[in-house]
């Protein structure tokens, strides 16, 4: 039989998290004596000293630091078990939260969502469009259930979905199309580059060539496409997102001598497959199928 309960571990962690017994009692709505009792039972049951007092500060001992790491893991796993049980108990989930990087082909995404909703008509879908590390951050913070991202997680599930091809483009009347020869990166430096910023709040990431002396940074790819179509700059843009503009001649590939086209790998990522319900699994299955078709059409 276990000597320490999950509730006692929660009280121990609360003391650390809030900086003392009194503060923890206020935050978790328990009496200070009950917090002290919980910690004392851990110390007595395991024969360790978890805290030391220096002035008015309550600090972890070396043993306390080690026990905190173990307790955090234990509590996180307990939360996962409860979440899995809740998913099993509820059956089909009522909501599916998905973060998708803006470079993922929209028509493919729409088809996946349409077919998933056809199987689960009452499913509410919350779609968050992101850039660079934005999708993986949302998943890491458990703000979404599934993410399609160029950035993977250190822990959790990750699977390569598809590669997205980028091409350097500008309006046909842009000065870069008037050189009459192959362009170099030096030619690009004196012209405005339109860049889409990382949508993550923390650990933002820059990606691609950023050598232009003048750069405009926008929040959405559609804004970037519109600016470039109006002749306000150049950029590397995903081909699926600008197919209409390329076909109509509003955008034209730049005649770069090298690296005019680039590829980005997108990944399907989620934290714990056991926590995904039937609708989420249906979405993933449909997503894999559509991405296989996408890759086949490119080949």
């Amino acid at each position: 039989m276990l000597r320490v309960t999950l509730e006692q571990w929660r009280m121990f962690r609360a003391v650390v998290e809030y900086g003392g017994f009194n503060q923890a009692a206020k935050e978790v709505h328990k009496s200070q004596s009950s917090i002290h009792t919980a910690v004392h039972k851990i110390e007595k049951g395991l024969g360790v000293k978890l805290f030391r007092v220096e002035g008015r500060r309550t600090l972890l001992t070396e043993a306390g630091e080690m026990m905190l790491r173990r307790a955090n893991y234990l509590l996180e796993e307990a939360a996962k078990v409860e979440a899995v049980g809740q998913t099993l108990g509820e059956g089909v989930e009522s909501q599916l939260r998905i973060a998708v990087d803006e470079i993922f082909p929209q028509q493919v995404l729409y088809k996946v969502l349409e077919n998933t909703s056809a199987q689960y008509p009452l499913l509410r879908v919350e779609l968050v469009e992101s850039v660079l590390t934005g999708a993986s951050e949302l998943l890491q913070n458990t703000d979404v259930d599934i993410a399609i991202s160029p950035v993977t997680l250190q822990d959790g599930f990750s699977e390569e979905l598809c590669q997205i091809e980028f091409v350097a483009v500008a309006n046909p009347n842009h000065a870069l199309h008037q050189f009459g020869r192959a362009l170099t990166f030096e030619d690009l430096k004196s012209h405005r580059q339109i860049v889409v910023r990382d949508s993550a709040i923390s650990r933002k990431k820059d990606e691609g060539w950023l050598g232009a002396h003048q750069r405009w940074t926008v929040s959405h790819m559609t804004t970037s496409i519109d600016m470039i179509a109006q002749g306000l700059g150049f950029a590397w843009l995903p081909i699926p997102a600008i197919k209409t503009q390329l076909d109509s001649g509003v955008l034209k590939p730049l005649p770069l001598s090298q690296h005019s086209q680039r590829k980005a790998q997108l990944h399907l990522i989620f934290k714990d497959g056991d926590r995904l319900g039937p609708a989420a699994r249906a979405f993933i299955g449909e997503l894999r199928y559509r991405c296989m078709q996408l890759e086949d059409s490119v080949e």
Side-chain angles (χ1 to χ4, degrees):
M1 184 175 178
L2 295 176
R3 299 180 182 180
V4 182
T5 67
L6 284 176
E7 183 64 15
Q8 288 165 354
W9 285 125
R10 288 192 181 97
M11 296 304 98
F12 163 58
R13 187 168 68 173
V15 175
V16 179
E17 184 177 354
Y18 299 112
F21 289 86
N22 187 42
Q23 298 91 320
K26 291 180 180 178
E27 294 295 334
V28 301
H29 307 292
K30 298 275 188 179
S31 67
Q32 189 172 344
S33 62
S34 65
I35 303 289
H36 273 287
T37 300
V39 173
H40 176 69
K41 285 184 178 180
I42 298 174
E43 292 179 327
K44 184 178 179 181
L46 301 181
V48 296
K49 188 69 175 175
L50 299 176
F51 294 105
R52 69 181 191 275
V53 177
E54 291 186 3
R56 295 186 177 181
R57 296 191 303 166
T58 302
L59 304 176
L60 282 170
T61 62
E62 185 175 340
E65 291 177 356
M66 181 180 296
M67 297 308 296
L68 177 63
R69 289 194 296 270
R70 298 289 182 172
N72 282 334
Y73 175 79
L74 177 64
L75 292 170
E76 287 169 5
E77 288 302 307
K80 290 179 182 178
V81 171
E82 289 182 1
V84 170
Q86 185 175 9
T87 299
L88 294 173
E90 292 176 350
V92 177
E93 65 270 44
S94 61
Q95 177 178 277
L96 181 58
R97 304 170 302 164
I98 310 163
V100 181
D101 193 279
E102 286 192 345
I103 69 173
F104 187 76
Q106 288 185 327
Q107 293 307 314
V108 175
L109 175 64
Y110 298 160
K111 195 66 178 176
V112 172
L113 290 172
E114 181 183 20
N115 289 351
T116 303
S117 292
Q119 297 178 61
Y120 299 96
L122 299 180
L123 179 69
R124 299 195 310 272
V125 175
E126 183 178 337
L127 184 67
V128 183
E129 296 167 292
S130 60
V131 179
L132 289 175
T133 59
S136 61
E137 182 185 73
L138 288 167
L139 183 63
Q140 185 67 63
N141 295 338
T142 64
D143 293 323
V144 296
D145 307 303
I146 297 171
I148 300 173
S149 170
V151 181
T152 61
L153 292 179
Q154 290 184 347
D155 56 341
F157 177 88
S158 175
E159 172 188 319
E160 291 185 354
L161 269 183
C162 60
Q163 286 190 330
I164 304 298
E165 193 168 4
F166 286 68
V167 63
V169 294
N171 182 279
N173 297 320
H174 192 278
L176 286 169
H177 280 299
Q178 315 310 316
F179 279 69
R181 59 171 173 80
L183 301 175
T184 66
F185 286 149
E186 286 299 317
D187 295 323
L188 299 182
K189 284 184 177 180
S190 58
H191 294 272
R192 183 184 302 119
Q193 182 180 5
I194 310 297
V195 178
V196 183
R197 72 166 50 86
D198 193 329
S199 61
I201 296 175
S202 61
R203 293 197 299 252
K204 290 181 181 291
K205 179 180 180 183
D206 289 328
E207 192 70 43
W209 187 81
L210 300 173
H213 299 314
Q214 184 181 171
R215 189 162 69 240
W216 287 1
T217 303
V218 299
S219 297
H220 299 285
M221 190 169 61
T222 52
T223 306
S224 173
I225 294 172
D226 187 49
M227 286 181 169
I228 296 164
Q230 294 189 40
L232 298 176
F234 75 92
W236 276 265
L237 291 173
I239 292 178
I242 58 171
K243 188 178 184 304
T244 301
Q245 291 85 348
L246 289 172
D247 292 343
S248 66
V250 174
L251 293 178
K252 182 179 178 182
L254 292 174
L256 285 171
S257 57
Q258 57 182 343
H259 302 303
S260 62
Q261 293 189 336
R262 301 176 176 187
K263 289 185 178 180
Q265 180 70 55
L266 284 177
H267 305 265
L268 163 68
I269 56 177
F270 50 82
K271 278 191 169 184
D272 187 349
D274 290 338
R275 297 178 63 173
L276 298 178
R281 294 177 185 277
F283 172 85
I284 290 172
E286 186 68 26
L287 180 67
R288 287 171 173 154
Y289 172 70
R290 295 291 168 181
C291 285
M292 285 177 59
Q293 288 188 322
L294 183 65
E295 293 288 284
D296 291 342
S297 66
V298 171
E299 294 175 2

